[in-house]
Structures are given as structure tokens and as C-alpha cells.
Amino acid sequence: MDYTWHFQIVWDYRAVFIRGAIVTAQITFWATLIGLTLGLALGLMRRSEMVLLRAPAATFIELFRSTPALVQLVWIYYSLPILTGLQLSNTASVSVGLGLHAAAYFGEIFRAGVNSISKGQWDAARAIGMSYSQSMRRIILPQAIRRMIPPFINEFASLIKLTTLGSALAVYELLHEANNLINSTYRPLEIYTVLAVAFAVIIYPIIYASQRLERKWQLRQ
Amino acid sequence: MKEIMIKARNVQKSFGTHQVLKGIDLDITKGEVLAIIGPSGSGKSTFLRCMNFLEAYDFGEIWLGDQLVGYRKSASGALVKDKPARIAAVRARMGMVSQNFNLFPHMSVLENVIEGPIVVQRRKREDAVAQARSLLDRVGLSAKVDVYPETLSGGQQQRAAIARALAMNPEVMLFDEPTSALDPELVGEVLDVMRALAADGMTMVVVTHEMAFARDVADRVMMMDDGNRVEIDTPEKIFTNPSHPRTAEFLQRVLR
């Protein structure tokens, strides 16, 4: 079978890909910011001795981990306005939705990371008179964060790929732009190939940097 | 009459249904070195950890000077758990050295020592660094100021941990089996530092299996067994003529 590849078409429409990549990057940025902030709070709440903090955090985390991200996005976009009157734009819905989704996973990463630090470190911090928050900030988290880097990068890479779900809400991220292009050019193979390469080009450097960082920190510990 | 530094009255503690401390009384005077000995599981480490409230005792009272440790008396006279900030403040007056050193691995030796003074006591960095350097010199680590703990031997790590505790200018030093995790050839260097500290007049409570140290350095030795204080006396009396058969039996076993 002979198929003639026409990558020239993709090059002609490069502006479309760049536009899509920018939206993908924006969604990733906001989702990561929300995910990290809320995730840290959730992770710490879930370790609390107080059930009033622990229970809501556990409920949130398990709810978001056990339901499909696509359903979460659709739900936030269509149901939130009905229930609260709060209508977010489609891009904002995806950013917030993926942010909440990521928070559930980041929260578990934080919790596992903090739990992995030996009890002796808490003892040593408390023995010199540190409060809970001083111990956490100065002693526990700096050590725990190093151990969180590999699972965090995993989650971050999958978060970038989850932004493609935005196409379901008509957000002009990479996948949606690519699909539109396919409809007008009938060149799905070329366009999806370039799309895959585009994601690899975004994600691989992050994975590489994290591996370097991990190795550097290992030398120190 | 010498000033009482730590006063324990009827201290009790249970883990679940297992009672590990069954009512300990103890007075430690200022400048005294007290060694606590006894078989493992006798509650001696738990008792030490109750002194700075790393472990919360369930009943009784522990006083550091005129400050009740970990609790305050309510209007009705009952003991209620003290505020975290007040518990932290009383802990900062006691130095603790544990079996596993527990240096902070992400900080250099110097950073380990200045951490408490700067973060907890809010002292000036230059002052904390100057004091840390002189303390590290005193424990023989002036060449290791800027290295990370993992590069140190166990004995060096433990001496760094002693310097870290001393940097808080504690009123009393608590040692929880400070040489138990060390290779035998490294025990001596840590005991030497502790000896020098005792000679300087530091009040010390030392949970230890080093009978020679207890005999030579301690002013008094307390024998514990099964959550009880079996006896407390001078080392001469304990090691040559213990009044309790349990002590004699224990010493016979460990001294062989």
C-alpha cells in the first residue's frame, strides 16, 4: 500500500498548533497551581488528628480519584451554573476541573511523602522547641518534597495529557485545534503524529529535568 | 539544700492496655548526673521522653523548675493539656540526644546546630553561628562544620547532635541511650564529650547500657524494671551492694 505523507500541510498550519499549545500550557499552569495549593492542604488535612479536617479531605480525594476526569469537567461546566448560578468560561472550567482532579492526586503524593519521613525527625524538631508548623516547614517538607518529585512528575505529565479533555468542552487546546484541522484538511495521520510529537516535546524535557534533579538530590542525601 | 531541677511525682503512662510507667517519683538536683539503667522494656526511655513531653504521660506530674511540663491546672485543680506553644517553650529549655542521632539530613552540620537558636529562639544569625562554631569545636568537629550528616561516622553524628542540643543553652540534657546505635570503637568519643559536659556542671539524665559510664560519671543511678523505680542510689552502692535483688540480678547479667 502506498501512502504519501504530507507533512507540509502541518507546517502550513503551524500557527494553529502554536495557538493550541499556548492554551494547553495555560490550562496546565492553572490546573497545576490549583492542584498543588489545594493538594498540599488536602494532604495535610488528611493527616490531621481532627476528624473534622480529615473526613472532608478523604471524601474529596476519593471522590475525584474514583470518577472519570471527563465527567468531572462536564459536570463543572454544565451543572455548576444550575446549582450555584456560577458560570465559568469553558477554558476556566477545564482549568478548575483539572485543578481539582490533580489536587486529589497531589494530596495523596503529599501525604505519602510526609509519612515517609521518620518519626525521629519529628522528635528532633520538637525536642529543640519547634512548633508543628515550624517542624513541617523547616524539617519535614524539605525532605519530603525530594521524595515527592518522581510521583509528582508522573502526575504532572498525565495532567498535561488530560488537558486534551478540554476538546469536549470546545476549548481550543491542542487536540481541539488538531481535530478542526483534520476536518478541513483530511490529513489525520500527519496531524495526529505532529500532535503526539508536540506533547512529547513539552513533556519530555520536564521528565528529563526531574531525573537530573532527583540524581543531584540523591547525592546529598 | 540544692535546687531541684526536675521533679517527677507518680508518673504513669500506658500504651493501650499495657502500662509502661507505674508511678515514678524522682527529684533531680541542679548539676546532678543521673543514670537510668534497667532491662529493655522497663520504661526508662519512655520516662525520659515524658520529661520533655515527646511522650504525654497519663497521670502524675513532671516539673521543670516551677513549670509543670505538658499540662496546666484548671480552676478545679484537674490537669488539662497545655497549649502547644507553652509545651514547645518548656521543651526548648531541655536538650535531648537520642539513640539514632536524628540530625537533619538536608542541612549541613552547622545549619543543624544553628537551626534551633535562629528559628525557635530568634537569635541573630551571627551570634548563633559563632556559638555553633565554638560548640562544634568543643565536641571535636571543627573540621566538619560544612559537611552533610551522611558523610559523618555514627560517633561524629552523635557529637553533632549533642552540639545541636547544647546550642539551645538548655538547663538540663536528656540522653536516650546515646551510644546504643554506635559501633563499639566509636562509643568512647561520645562518652568523652558527655564526661566533659558533666564535669562542666551540666544537669544530665542519661538512659544507658554503658555501666562503666554510669559507675564513673553519674552522681546517682536509678534502676528501673517493669515500669517501676526499683531503687535509686549512689553508683558505689548500686554496683557493689544493691539493696534490691532485681538490681543485683540485672547487673550480674549485664556485667557478666
Side-chain angles (χ1 to χ4, degrees), chain A residues 162-203:
Chain A
L162 279 175
T163 58
T164 53
L165 293 176
S167 60
L169 300 189
V171 171
Y172 286 88
E173 44 64 59
L174 270 172
L175 179 64
H176 196 65
E177 294 280 21
N179 283 334
N180 286 348
L181 214 50
I182 288 165
N183 289 337
S184 55
T185 63
Y186 305 106
R187 283 286 167 189
L189 284 183
E190 286 83 350
I191 288 169
Y192 275 142
T193 304
V194 170
L195 183 67
V197 171
F199 272 97
V201 164
I202 297 174
I203 293 171

Short mmCIF file of all heavy atoms in Angstrom, two decimals, chain A residues 162-203:
data_model
loop_
_atom_site.label_atom_id
_atom_site.label_comp_id
_atom_site.label_asym_id
_atom_site.label_seq_id
_atom_site.Cartn_x
_atom_site.Cartn_y
_atom_site.Cartn_z
N LEU A 162 -4.15 15.19 30.10
CA LEU A 162 -5.58 15.31 30.40
C LEU A 162 -6.19 16.60 29.84
O LEU A 162 -7.40 16.69 29.69
CB LEU A 162 -5.82 15.25 31.92
CG LEU A 162 -5.83 13.86 32.56
CD1 LEU A 162 -5.96 14.00 34.07
CD2 LEU A 162 -6.96 13.01 32.02
N THR A 163 -5.33 17.60 29.55
CA THR A 163 -5.88 18.85 29.01
C THR A 163 -6.61 18.60 27.70
O THR A 163 -7.46 19.40 27.30
CB THR A 163 -4.79 19.91 28.76
OG1 THR A 163 -3.83 19.36 27.84
CG2 THR A 163 -4.11 20.34 30.03
N THR A 164 -6.29 17.49 27.01
CA THR A 164 -6.98 17.18 25.76
C THR A 164 -8.48 16.96 25.98
O THR A 164 -9.27 17.07 25.05
CB THR A 164 -6.39 15.91 25.09
OG1 THR A 164 -6.39 14.87 26.05
CG2 THR A 164 -4.98 16.17 24.62
N LEU A 165 -8.86 16.66 27.23
CA LEU A 165 -10.29 16.52 27.53
C LEU A 165 -11.02 17.84 27.32
O LEU A 165 -12.24 17.87 27.16
CB LEU A 165 -10.50 16.05 28.97
CG LEU A 165 -10.02 14.63 29.30
CD1 LEU A 165 -10.20 14.34 30.77
CD2 LEU A 165 -10.79 13.62 28.45
N GLY A 166 -10.27 18.93 27.32
CA GLY A 166 -10.87 20.24 27.08
C GLY A 166 -11.61 20.31 25.74
O GLY A 166 -12.57 21.06 25.59
N SER A 167 -11.17 19.48 24.79
CA SER A 167 -11.84 19.50 23.48
C SER A 167 -13.32 19.15 23.61
O SER A 167 -14.13 19.60 22.81
CB SER A 167 -11.14 18.52 22.52
OG SER A 167 -11.19 17.23 23.05
N ALA A 168 -13.64 18.37 24.65
CA ALA A 168 -15.04 18.01 24.86
C ALA A 168 -15.88 19.23 25.26
O ALA A 168 -17.10 19.23 25.12
CB ALA A 168 -15.15 16.92 25.92
N LEU A 169 -15.23 20.25 25.81
CA LEU A 169 -15.95 21.47 26.20
C LEU A 169 -15.67 22.60 25.20
O LEU A 169 -15.83 23.77 25.52
CB LEU A 169 -15.54 21.92 27.61
CG LEU A 169 -15.78 20.96 28.76
CD1 LEU A 169 -15.52 21.66 30.08
CD2 LEU A 169 -17.19 20.41 28.73
N ALA A 170 -15.20 22.20 24.00
CA ALA A 170 -14.92 23.18 22.95
C ALA A 170 -13.87 24.20 23.36
O ALA A 170 -13.96 25.37 23.01
CB ALA A 170 -16.21 23.88 22.52
N VAL A 171 -12.88 23.73 24.13
CA VAL A 171 -11.75 24.60 24.44
C VAL A 171 -10.72 24.43 23.33
O VAL A 171 -10.42 23.30 22.94
CB VAL A 171 -11.13 24.22 25.80
CG1 VAL A 171 -9.83 24.98 26.03
CG2 VAL A 171 -12.11 24.50 26.92
N TYR A 172 -10.19 25.53 22.83
CA TYR A 172 -9.26 25.43 21.71
C TYR A 172 -7.86 25.07 22.17
O TYR A 172 -6.92 25.82 21.98
CB TYR A 172 -9.28 26.73 20.88
CG TYR A 172 -10.53 26.83 20.05
CD1 TYR A 172 -11.69 27.39 20.57
CD2 TYR A 172 -10.55 26.29 18.77
CE1 TYR A 172 -12.85 27.44 19.82
CE2 TYR A 172 -11.72 26.33 18.01
CZ TYR A 172 -12.86 26.91 18.54
OH TYR A 172 -14.01 26.94 17.79
N GLU A 173 -7.73 23.91 22.81
CA GLU A 173 -6.38 23.43 23.14
C GLU A 173 -5.86 22.60 21.98
O GLU A 173 -6.50 22.54 20.93
CB GLU A 173 -6.37 22.67 24.48
CG GLU A 173 -7.49 21.68 24.71
CD GLU A 173 -7.47 20.54 23.76
OE1 GLU A 173 -6.44 19.85 23.75
OE2 GLU A 173 -8.46 20.33 23.01
N LEU A 174 -4.73 21.94 22.17
CA LEU A 174 -4.06 21.27 21.04
C LEU A 174 -4.94 20.26 20.32
O LEU A 174 -5.03 20.27 19.09
CB LEU A 174 -2.79 20.57 21.56
CG LEU A 174 -1.50 21.41 21.52
CD1 LEU A 174 -0.37 20.67 22.24
CD2 LEU A 174 -1.10 21.72 20.08
N LEU A 175 -5.62 19.39 21.05
CA LEU A 175 -6.40 18.34 20.40
C LEU A 175 -7.56 18.93 19.60
O LEU A 175 -7.83 18.51 18.48
CB LEU A 175 -6.93 17.35 21.44
CG LEU A 175 -7.78 16.21 20.85
CD1 LEU A 175 -6.96 15.33 19.93
CD2 LEU A 175 -8.41 15.36 21.95
N HIS A 176 -8.22 19.92 20.19
CA HIS A 176 -9.36 20.53 19.53
C HIS A 176 -8.93 21.22 18.25
O HIS A 176 -9.57 21.08 17.19
CB HIS A 176 -10.04 21.51 20.47
CG HIS A 176 -11.41 21.91 20.03
ND1 HIS A 176 -12.45 21.01 19.96
CD2 HIS A 176 -11.91 23.10 19.63
CE1 HIS A 176 -13.54 21.64 19.53
NE2 HIS A 176 -13.24 22.91 19.32
N GLU A 177 -7.83 21.96 18.31
CA GLU A 177 -7.29 22.61 17.11
C GLU A 177 -6.94 21.56 16.07
O GLU A 177 -7.21 21.73 14.88
CB GLU A 177 -6.04 23.43 17.48
CG GLU A 177 -6.29 24.62 18.40
CD GLU A 177 -6.83 25.83 17.64
OE1 GLU A 177 -7.37 25.65 16.53
OE2 GLU A 177 -6.73 26.96 18.16
N ALA A 178 -6.35 20.47 16.53
CA ALA A 178 -5.94 19.41 15.60
C ALA A 178 -7.16 18.81 14.91
O ALA A 178 -7.16 18.60 13.69
CB ALA A 178 -5.15 18.34 16.35
N ASN A 179 -8.22 18.54 15.70
CA ASN A 179 -9.43 17.96 15.12
C ASN A 179 -10.05 18.89 14.08
O ASN A 179 -10.51 18.45 13.02
CB ASN A 179 -10.45 17.64 16.20
CG ASN A 179 -10.07 16.37 16.95
OD1 ASN A 179 -9.39 15.51 16.40
ND2 ASN A 179 -10.50 16.26 18.20
N ASN A 180 -10.08 20.18 14.38
CA ASN A 180 -10.62 21.14 13.41
C ASN A 180 -9.83 21.10 12.11
O ASN A 180 -10.39 21.16 11.02
CB ASN A 180 -10.58 22.57 13.99
CG ASN A 180 -11.65 22.75 15.05
OD1 ASN A 180 -12.54 21.91 15.17
ND2 ASN A 180 -11.54 23.84 15.81
N LEU A 181 -8.51 21.01 12.30
CA LEU A 181 -7.62 20.99 11.15
C LEU A 181 -7.87 19.74 10.30
O LEU A 181 -7.88 19.80 9.07
CB LEU A 181 -6.18 21.01 11.65
CG LEU A 181 -5.15 21.74 10.80
CD1 LEU A 181 -5.63 23.14 10.44
CD2 LEU A 181 -3.84 21.81 11.56
N ILE A 182 -8.09 18.62 10.99
CA ILE A 182 -8.36 17.36 10.27
C ILE A 182 -9.63 17.49 9.44
O ILE A 182 -9.68 17.05 8.29
CB ILE A 182 -8.46 16.19 11.27
CG1 ILE A 182 -7.07 15.87 11.82
CG2 ILE A 182 -9.05 14.94 10.60
CD1 ILE A 182 -7.09 15.00 13.05
N ASN A 183 -10.63 18.14 10.02
CA ASN A 183 -11.89 18.31 9.31
C ASN A 183 -11.73 19.12 8.04
O ASN A 183 -12.48 18.94 7.09
CB ASN A 183 -12.93 18.99 10.20
CG ASN A 183 -13.40 18.05 11.30
OD1 ASN A 183 -13.29 16.82 11.13
ND2 ASN A 183 -13.89 18.60 12.39
N SER A 184 -10.78 20.03 8.02
CA SER A 184 -10.63 20.85 6.83
C SER A 184 -9.56 20.33 5.88
O SER A 184 -9.57 20.69 4.70
CB SER A 184 -10.34 22.31 7.21
OG SER A 184 -9.22 22.36 8.05
N THR A 185 -8.65 19.49 6.39
CA THR A 185 -7.56 19.04 5.50
C THR A 185 -7.62 17.56 5.17
O THR A 185 -6.94 17.12 4.25
CB THR A 185 -6.19 19.29 6.16
OG1 THR A 185 -6.12 18.50 7.34
CG2 THR A 185 -5.98 20.76 6.49
N TYR A 186 -8.39 16.78 5.95
CA TYR A 186 -8.46 15.33 5.78
C TYR A 186 -7.08 14.69 5.87
O TYR A 186 -6.73 13.83 5.07
CB TYR A 186 -9.15 14.96 4.44
CG TYR A 186 -10.50 15.57 4.33
CD1 TYR A 186 -10.73 16.64 3.49
CD2 TYR A 186 -11.56 15.09 5.11
CE1 TYR A 186 -11.97 17.23 3.40
CE2 TYR A 186 -12.81 15.67 5.02
CZ TYR A 186 -13.02 16.75 4.17
OH TYR A 186 -14.24 17.33 4.08
N ARG A 187 -6.27 15.12 6.79
CA ARG A 187 -4.95 14.55 6.95
C ARG A 187 -4.72 14.12 8.40
O ARG A 187 -3.85 14.64 9.10
CB ARG A 187 -3.87 15.60 6.54
CG ARG A 187 -3.72 15.75 5.04
CD ARG A 187 -2.99 14.54 4.51
NE ARG A 187 -3.08 14.46 3.05
CZ ARG A 187 -2.68 13.39 2.36
NH1 ARG A 187 -2.18 12.35 3.00
NH2 ARG A 187 -2.79 13.36 1.05
N PRO A 188 -5.56 13.19 8.91
CA PRO A 188 -5.48 12.82 10.33
C PRO A 188 -4.13 12.22 10.74
O PRO A 188 -3.63 12.53 11.82
CB PRO A 188 -6.60 11.78 10.50
CG PRO A 188 -6.90 11.30 9.13
CD PRO A 188 -6.58 12.42 8.19
N LEU A 189 -3.52 11.39 9.89
CA LEU A 189 -2.28 10.73 10.30
C LEU A 189 -1.16 11.74 10.55
O LEU A 189 -0.49 11.70 11.59
CB LEU A 189 -1.84 9.73 9.23
CG LEU A 189 -2.62 8.41 9.21
CD1 LEU A 189 -2.04 7.47 8.16
CD2 LEU A 189 -2.58 7.76 10.59
N GLU A 190 -1.00 12.66 9.62
CA GLU A 190 0.05 13.66 9.78
C GLU A 190 -0.22 14.52 11.02
O GLU A 190 0.68 14.78 11.82
CB GLU A 190 0.12 14.58 8.55
CG GLU A 190 0.74 13.95 7.33
CD GLU A 190 -0.26 13.13 6.54
OE1 GLU A 190 -1.39 12.90 7.04
OE2 GLU A 190 0.07 12.71 5.42
N ILE A 191 -1.47 14.91 11.12
CA ILE A 191 -1.78 15.87 12.18
C ILE A 191 -1.68 15.22 13.57
O ILE A 191 -1.11 15.79 14.50
CB ILE A 191 -3.17 16.50 11.93
CG1 ILE A 191 -3.03 17.46 10.73
CG2 ILE A 191 -3.67 17.25 13.15
CD1 ILE A 191 -4.33 17.95 10.19
N TYR A 192 -2.18 13.98 13.69
CA TYR A 192 -2.06 13.31 14.99
C TYR A 192 -0.60 12.99 15.32
O TYR A 192 -0.18 13.04 16.48
CB TYR A 192 -2.91 12.03 15.02
CG TYR A 192 -4.36 12.30 15.38
CD1 TYR A 192 -5.40 11.60 14.76
CD2 TYR A 192 -4.68 13.26 16.33
CE1 TYR A 192 -6.72 11.85 15.08
CE2 TYR A 192 -6.01 13.52 16.65
CZ TYR A 192 -7.03 12.82 16.02
OH TYR A 192 -8.31 13.07 16.35
N THR A 193 0.18 12.65 14.29
CA THR A 193 1.60 12.38 14.54
C THR A 193 2.28 13.63 15.09
O THR A 193 3.01 13.58 16.10
CB THR A 193 2.30 11.95 13.23
OG1 THR A 193 1.61 10.82 12.70
CG2 THR A 193 3.76 11.59 13.49
N VAL A 194 2.01 14.76 14.46
CA VAL A 194 2.63 16.00 14.92
C VAL A 194 2.11 16.37 16.32
O VAL A 194 2.86 16.86 17.16
CB VAL A 194 2.37 17.13 13.90
CG1 VAL A 194 2.79 18.48 14.48
CG2 VAL A 194 3.13 16.85 12.61
N LEU A 195 0.82 16.07 16.54
CA LEU A 195 0.25 16.34 17.86
C LEU A 195 1.00 15.54 18.93
O LEU A 195 1.38 16.07 19.99
CB LEU A 195 -1.23 15.95 17.86
CG LEU A 195 -2.01 16.24 19.14
CD1 LEU A 195 -2.12 17.73 19.37
CD2 LEU A 195 -3.40 15.61 19.08
N ALA A 196 1.25 14.26 18.65
CA ALA A 196 1.98 13.42 19.59
C ALA A 196 3.38 13.97 19.84
O ALA A 196 3.85 14.06 20.98
CB ALA A 196 2.07 11.98 19.08
N VAL A 197 4.03 14.38 18.76
CA VAL A 197 5.37 14.95 18.88
C VAL A 197 5.32 16.23 19.72
O VAL A 197 6.17 16.46 20.58
CB VAL A 197 5.98 15.22 17.48
CG1 VAL A 197 7.28 16.02 17.60
CG2 VAL A 197 6.23 13.91 16.75
N ALA A 198 4.28 17.04 19.48
CA ALA A 198 4.16 18.29 20.23
C ALA A 198 4.08 18.01 21.74
O ALA A 198 4.75 18.66 22.54
CB ALA A 198 2.93 19.06 19.77
N PHE A 199 3.27 17.01 22.11
CA PHE A 199 3.18 16.68 23.54
C PHE A 199 4.50 16.15 24.07
O PHE A 199 4.94 16.51 25.17
CB PHE A 199 2.05 15.66 23.78
CG PHE A 199 0.73 16.31 24.01
CD1 PHE A 199 -0.20 16.46 22.98
CD2 PHE A 199 0.41 16.83 25.26
CE1 PHE A 199 -1.41 17.09 23.18
CE2 PHE A 199 -0.80 17.46 25.47
CZ PHE A 199 -1.72 17.60 24.43
N ALA A 200 5.15 15.30 23.27
CA ALA A 200 6.44 14.75 23.71
C ALA A 200 7.45 15.87 23.92
O ALA A 200 8.22 15.86 24.88
CB ALA A 200 6.95 13.74 22.68
N VAL A 201 7.43 16.85 23.02
CA VAL A 201 8.37 17.96 23.13
C VAL A 201 8.11 18.78 24.40
O VAL A 201 9.02 19.29 25.03
CB VAL A 201 8.30 18.84 21.86
CG1 VAL A 201 8.97 20.19 22.09
CG2 VAL A 201 8.94 18.11 20.69
N ILE A 202 6.84 18.89 24.79
CA ILE A 202 6.52 19.62 26.03
C ILE A 202 6.89 18.78 27.25
O ILE A 202 7.48 19.27 28.21
CB ILE A 202 5.00 19.97 26.08
CG1 ILE A 202 4.64 20.90 24.92
CG2 ILE A 202 4.65 20.60 27.42
CD1 ILE A 202 3.15 21.17 24.81
N ILE A 203 6.55 17.48 27.23
CA ILE A 203 6.62 16.67 28.44
C ILE A 203 8.02 16.12 28.69
O ILE A 203 8.49 16.11 29.83
CB ILE A 203 5.58 15.52 28.38
CG1 ILE A 203 4.17 16.12 28.44
CG2 ILE A 203 5.78 14.54 29.53
CD1 ILE A 203 3.07 15.13 28.17
#
